[in-house]
Amino acid sequence: MIRRWLVLPLLFAAASSQGREWRVEPGGVPLGTALERAVDGDSVLVAGGVHRGPFVVRRSLHLIGERRPVLDGGGRGTVISLQAPDASLQGFIVRASGTSLDEENSGIAVGAPRVVVRDNRLEDVLFGIYLRRAPGSRVEENVVRGMDLDLPRRGDAVRVWYSDGVRIRGNRISHARDVVLWYSSDLEVLGNSVTAGRYGLHFMYCDDASIRDNALVGNSVGAFLMYSRRLHLVGNRISDNHGPSGYGVGLKDMDDAVVRDNLFLANRVGAYLDNSPRESTSTSEVTGNVFAANEAGVLLMPNVRRAVIESNDFLENGEQVAFGGAGADPEANLWRGNHWSDYTGYDADGDGTGDVPYRAEKLFESVADRTPELRVFAGSPAAAALDFAAQAFPVVKPRPKLVDPVPRLHPVAVAGVPSPAPSGAPGSWAATAALLALGALAVVALPRLGGMTGGVSDSVESVGETPSAPVEVKDLSVVLGGREILRGVSFAVEPGEAVALWGSNGAGKTTALRALLGLVPFSGEIVVDGLDARRHSRGVRARIGFVPQEVTLQGDLSVRDTFTLYAGLRGVAGGVDPGRIEWLGLTAHLDEAVETLSGGLKQRLALGLALLGDPPLLLLDEPTANLDAAGRRLFHRLLDELRSRGKTLVFTSHRSEEVSRLADRVLRLEDGRLLEAEAVAAGGVPLRLELVAASEGEEAAGRLREAGLLARWDGRSLWIEIPGEVQRG
C-alpha cells in the first residue's frame, strides 16, 4: 500500500496569484480525484492518456490538456459538466457521450457564468457543447462532430439556452443537428464553419446578435432567424443548402434584421422572408449581398412589408425573386440599386446605372408563385412559350412582382468575408464573396450550376482539343439613349475560326461583343452554337467565356480561392484542373493575393476564369491593351494554343501585329456599320495611319487615291491604308 502511494502522487506548486497547479499523468491518480482536491482558482494539467468519465467540475478550475488527453464518457450521460463560474476546459478530446435525447446527453455541459471552452475536439457525442444559464461564456476554436445517426436522432452541436453575452468563435462543426441559440441576447457568432447539419444556425427569441464571417455550407438550412430583434448577419458564406426548404437564410417574424455583405451561392433559396419585419416601426435590411446560382435568389411571403432590398447582386439565379403565393405588391418593399444578370436595359450616359427600370414580370414565374408545383417546369419549352405569349400579347402580361428603378449595370464587391474553411474544404474561403467584383466577367461567366437548366455540367478542364462554336449575326442593330451604335451588321464566324473586330474608337466593336453576351438590347438575330441569343440567353452565355479589357479583381483574395469559387459557380466538377493552372503559368502564384500580381498575371487569371467549363466560344475585348511587350507575347502564345486546338475566338484590338498573329479574318467596323470582311493575308492586316486633319483633307485624299493608295477623309482626319505587302517591304 505504501509503494502504491509513492508512485501515484498528485504534484502541485503554490502560486499566489493564480492558485495552485496540479498535474495528472497517465497511470497516476485519477483525474476525478484531482478535481475533488483542487480548489477555486487552481489549474489542472492533464498530460495525455485516456480518462474515463463522466466528470463534474464544481469549482472554478482551469483544466488544460497536454498532448490531447481523452475524456471518455463510455457511452453514459454527459462526458464532462462545468458547473462553476469562471472555469475553463482547453486542449482535450471529448468522446462517447450517452445517446438519450430526453436527457440531452452531451460532450460538454456548461451551467455557470463566464466559462471558457476552447480548443477541444468532440467526437461521437449526441449534443456537443450545451450552455444552460451560462451568461458571458465563450466557446472558441473547438471541433465538434456529432454521432453518425439519422438527422432527426442527432443532438445539437452547440446549444445556448438562457445565456446572454455568449461568444462563439472559430469553431468547426459538422454532422450534428443544429447550432441553437434561444432565449439569449447580446450574442456573437464569429468565424465558424457549420456543415452537414439541419439548421446551421437556429436563433429564436434572441435580440442584438452579431453573426459574422461564418461558412454555413451543405446543411438543410444555412441559418434560420426567428422571433428576434436586431440580428446582424454580415459577411458570411452561405452555400449548397438543399433541404426541403433549402434556405440560405430564413427570417421569420424578425424586426430590424440586417442581412448584409453575404454570399448566397447555390442554395435552393438564397434568402426567405416571412412577416419580417413584423412591427410597423421596424424594417428588414437586405443590402450588399451576392445571390448567385440559387434556384431562387430571394423568396418573399406576401405579408412582407417595409423590407429594404438594395445594392445586391442577383447573378444567374433560376428565379431572381419569387413570392410564396399570390398577392405580391411591388410597392410594399423598397428595391433599389441592385444588379440583375437578366437585365436587358442599357446605360447610355455611362454612369453605371440602367436608364430603364428592371421589372420582374415573367408570366411563368407569376403563375408558379401561385402554384409552386409548376416550378418543376422552370426552364422548359412550356415555360418559355408562356413568357413569349406574355410578350407577344400584352393583354396577358402580368403585373410586375417588383420594380428596381435604378438597377446597377455591374456587380460590386462584398465587404464582409467569411474566413473559416469548412472541414475538408481546400484552402480558405476568406473574401470569396468579394470576388464577384469582377465586373462584366462575372455576368457572363455564371451559368447555372450543373444539373440545373442551362448549366454546364460535364466540363473539360484540360488543354486538349476543345469544342468550338459557330456564330451567326444577321442585321444586328443597337440603339442606346437614342443613338444608333450598330446599324445592320451581319457576319458569320465558323467553328474554330479567329475573327478580329477592327475599327477606330466608337466604331461599335465593344458594343458588338456586348450584344453577343446579351448585355445590351438589340434588334436583328444572333445565333451561337445553334441557340438564339434572345430566346436562349442563358444557354448562349453558358457557351461563352469573356475576357474584358479592364479586369477588376478583389485585391485580398488569393488566386486559389478565385479559381475555387468560379469553378463552383460554373458547375465544374472537381474544381480546376492543375494542368490548366500550370498551362497559364499560375501554379507558383496560387497562394498569392491578387493585388500582388502583375498586370500580365491578372490577365492570365482572367483568361483562366473565362475558360472554366471549357466554353466553345471565347470573346476578348482588347485583351493586351494594358500589358507590356513581354506580357503581350506570353498572352499571345496562350491564345495561339487555344486557336490551334479549335477554340472559336472573336476579339477586338487596336494592335495590327496582334490581329496579324491571331486572326483568320478581320471585320472592319466604322460608325456602327460593317465596311468589309477580309481574310488576313500572310503579310498581316493593312496598317492604318491617322494624320492630323488639314484644311484640304478631301483634296489630299483624292491625290493619294490617284497615286494608288487607299485613302479617306472623314471630316476630321485623313486615313491611309497601306497593304500588308508594302509593310513587309
Side-chain angles (χ1 to χ4, degrees), residues 5-281:
W5 280 103
L6 287 174
V7 298
L8 299 178
L10 281 174
L11 303 179
F12 62 87
S16 58
S17 62
Q18 298 180 348
R20 296 173 297 178
E21 182 177 283
W22 303 77
R23 289 191 65 86
V24 176
E25 300 284 350
V29 170
L31 174 59
T33 302
L35 298 179
E36 292 175 0
R37 295 185 180 182
V39 299
D40 289 344
D42 286 358
S43 297
V44 179
L45 277 62
V46 183
V50 177
H51 304 268
R52 307 293 179 182
F55 301 99
V56 178
V57 179
R58 295 185 174 87
R59 299 180 181 87
S60 301
L61 305 179
H62 305 291
L63 277 68
I64 302 170
E66 298 178 344
R67 303 191 305 276
R68 291 289 177 194
V70 176
L71 305 182
D72 192 311
R76 305 184 312 276
T78 291
V79 180
I80 183 167
S81 182
L82 306 171
Q83 298 299 320
D86 302 303
S88 65
L89 181 76
Q90 176 175 342
F92 290 85
I93 295 174
V94 180
R95 71 186 186 195
S97 74
T99 58
S100 173
L101 286 170
D102 291 340
E103 297 176 2
E104 297 176 333
N105 296 158
S106 307
I108 301 171
V110 178
R114 300 180 303 282
V115 172
V116 176
V117 179
R118 177 185 293 122
D119 188 28
N120 302 286
R121 192 162 74 234
L122 285 76
E123 304 170 347
D124 193 31
V125 292
L126 187 62
F127 287 78
I129 303 171
Y130 195 140
L131 281 67
R132 181 192 295 269
R133 302 191 184 279
S137 294
R138 304 202 305 272
V139 178
E140 300 173 341
E141 300 176 11
N142 302 281
V143 177
V144 182
R145 181 183 173 93
M147 289 182 172
D148 290 328
L149 300 170
D150 293 338
L151 191 56
R153 296 179 56 207
R154 299 178 192 171
D156 299 319
V158 177
R159 175 173 282 197
V160 178
W161 185 270
Y162 285 101
S163 300
D164 297 343
V166 166
R167 305 291 180 254
I168 301 174
R169 301 172 177 168
N171 302 280
R172 288 187 294 155
I173 296 165
S174 66
H175 296 86
R177 186 169 60 188
D178 302 348
V179 172
V180 166
L181 305 104
W182 287 5
Y183 303 102
S184 305
S185 62
D186 185 28
L187 303 176
E188 181 186 66
V189 182
L190 173 67
N192 306 277
S193 72
V194 186
T195 64
R198 187 184 66 163
Y199 293 174
L201 300 175
H202 190 188
F203 282 80
M204 288 183 65
Y205 303 104
C206 294
D207 294 343
D208 302 297
S210 175
I211 310 153
R212 294 176 181 268
D213 302 342
N214 303 282
L216 310 175
V217 179
N219 305 288
S220 294
V221 171
F224 218 128
L225 316 181
M226 307 172 70
Y227 313 118
S228 304
R229 296 177 174 84
R230 297 178 298 280
L231 266 59
H232 287 222
L233 185 81
V234 180
N236 303 277
R237 176 181 181 251
I238 305 176
S239 67
D240 298 289
N241 298 291
H242 281 280
S245 61
Y247 304 145
V249 62
L251 274 64
K252 168 68 174 171
D253 291 283
M254 294 288 299
D255 288 313
D256 296 316
V258 175
V259 179
R260 187 177 67 242
D261 297 344
N262 304 281
L263 172 63
F264 295 96
L265 170 65
N267 305 283
R268 199 183 74 77
V269 174
Y272 166 78
L273 278 69
D274 180 10
N275 200 34
S276 297
R278 56 185 170 174
E279 297 177 352
S280 61
T281 58

Side-chain angles (χ1 to χ4, degrees), residues 300-348:
L300 281 75
M301 298 303 291
N303 57 14
V304 176
R305 299 288 190 274
R306 301 178 307 284
V308 178
I309 305 169
E310 186 173 19
S311 300
N312 304 283
D313 294 337
F314 289 87
L315 303 174
E316 299 296 338
N317 300 286
E319 189 173 353
Q320 304 282 42
V321 177
F323 283 85
D329 182 356
E331 298 180 358
N333 303 290
L334 174 64
W335 300 84
R336 183 177 179 83
N338 301 285
H339 169 79
W340 308 90
S341 60
D342 58 342
Y343 177 60
T344 57
Y346 55 87
D347 178 19

Side-chain angles (χ1 to χ4, degrees), residues 47 186 229 238 240 287 321 351 494 542 572-573 587 623 632 670:
D186 185 28
R229 296 177 174 84
I238 305 176
D240 298 289
T287 61
V321 177
D351 66 352
E494 297 299 321
V572 178
T587 303
R632 287 196 301 272
E670 195 64 48

Side-chain angles (χ1 to χ4, degrees), residues 474-638:
K474 296 179 181 178
D475 199 26
L476 173 63
S477 296
V478 176
V479 178
L480 299 177
R483 179 184 168 217
E484 196 170 33
I485 309 299
L486 290 174
R487 291 177 285 178
V489 173
S490 299
F491 62 88
V493 180
E494 297 299 321
E497 190 178 22
V499 172
L501 302 179
W502 181 268
S504 58
N505 289 333
K509 305 184 301 296
T510 297
T511 301
L513 294 185
R514 290 174 60 81
L516 287 170
L517 293 166
L519 300 180
V520 294
F522 64 86
S523 61
E525 184 178 356
I526 297 176
V527 178
V528 177
D529 202 21
L531 296 178
D532 183 276
R534 186 175 283 106
R535 290 189 300 151
H536 304 287
S537 60
R538 202 180 295 272
V540 166
R541 289 204 299 271
R543 287 160 170 78
I544 296 176
F546 178 47
V547 180
Q549 177 179 348
E550 296 289 341
V551 180
T552 304
L553 296 167
Q554 180 66 23
D556 58 357
L557 191 67
S558 74
V559 172
R560 185 188 307 276
D561 286 342
T562 300
F563 273 121
T564 299
L565 178 61
Y566 268 90
L569 290 171
R570 292 217 69 159
V572 178
V576 185
D577 181 6
R580 173 66 59 85
I581 295 176
E582 183 176 359
W583 173 74
L584 290 164
L586 296 173
T587 303
H589 306 280
L590 283 173
D591 295 316
E592 296 179 13
V594 170
E595 64 188 357
T596 66
L597 302 180
S598 66
L601 289 172
K602 288 180 181 177
Q603 200 70 359
R604 278 183 265 156
L605 174 58
L607 177 61
L609 297 175
L611 290 172
L612 285 170
D614 204 43
L617 173 62
L618 191 62
L619 305 184
L620 307 100
D621 190 12
E622 298 283 354
T624 64
N626 299 320
L627 304 184
D628 58 21
R632 287 196 301 272
R633 285 194 296 270
L634 180 54
F635 201 82
H636 286 162
R637 285 200 295 272
L638 297 176

Side-chain angles (χ1 to χ4, degrees), residues 335-379:
W335 300 84
R336 183 177 179 83
N338 301 285
H339 169 79
W340 308 90
S341 60
D342 58 342
Y343 177 60
T344 57
Y346 55 87
D347 178 19
D349 57 9
D351 66 352
T353 299
D355 294 346
V356 295
Y358 171 85
R359 298 177 182 273
E361 53 187 3
K362 292 182 179 179
L363 180 56
F364 175 77
E365 290 183 358
S366 297
V367 173
D369 285 343
R370 293 192 296 271
T371 311
E373 295 82 2
L374 293 178
R375 288 197 173 107
V376 70
F377 296 104

